[in-house]
Amino acid sequence: NYFHLLRRQALSPKRKPLVVFTPKSLLRHKLCVSSVEDFTTGTFQPVLADGAGTAGVTPPAPEAVRRVLLCAGKVYYDLAQARAERGITDTAIIRLEQLYPLPVEEVRAALAQYPNAEDVAWVQEEPANQGAWSFIALNLMEHLDGVGLRRISRPAAAAPAVGSAKLHDVEQEALLEAALPTQGGR
């Protein structure tokens, strides 16, 4: 996200201020890397298909996919890592790199790659009453032509963080279990 943001900002003929809020953990994450070609060719992609631009992530076969997870930001790397560790092969993860304006056609095209998908969910680390869910629910669902979209997130809360590393880890594991249940949990 950060790379594309900087590239888009630098190449834009319009000059405007840029403010970035991003987790530092992605600066060192082993899956969050770009090749030199990513910097020198191509264009910004508002929606990334499963595994696109992520070294070491093997996407599932499209015909085997029964569940599709839509997400944005850091949670993608947590989901991809958990999917690999759990050996899950029937779940695809699609990343929205741009939330506004919402890339509706690109999302539709990404979802069309998985004709056997029975379950589509938006996954976010933030509590239910925060994050992008309310925007996604209001603006994307009407364009999905009958595809049901549900939310997987932390419970609604007054603050974005619980204030305890141990409680955060428990909530994070519950989030990953809801998105990528271990065998028999479907």
Side-chain angles (χ1 to χ4, degrees), residues 95-139:
R95 287 183 280 177
L96 273 69
E97 297 287 300
Q98 171 181 302
L99 295 175
Y100 187 87
L102 197 58
V104 173
E105 293 307 316
E106 290 89 341
V107 171
R108 281 183 176 169
L111 289 173
Q113 295 177 24
Y114 308 106
N116 298 325
E118 303 161 353
D119 182 24
V120 180
W122 173 260
V123 181
Q124 67 179 31
E125 281 190 296
E126 297 84 6
N129 59 329
Q130 299 174 35
W133 168 248
S134 58
F135 177 78
I136 294 296
L138 287 172
N139 296 286

Side-chain angles (χ1 to χ4, degrees), residues 10 27 29 43 49 53 56 64 71 82 84 87 93 103 108 123 130 143 147 153 155 164:
L27 295 174
H29 201 291
T43 61
C71 64
I93 307 168
R108 281 183 176 169
V123 181
Q130 299 174 35
H143 298 288
V147 173
S153 71
S164 162

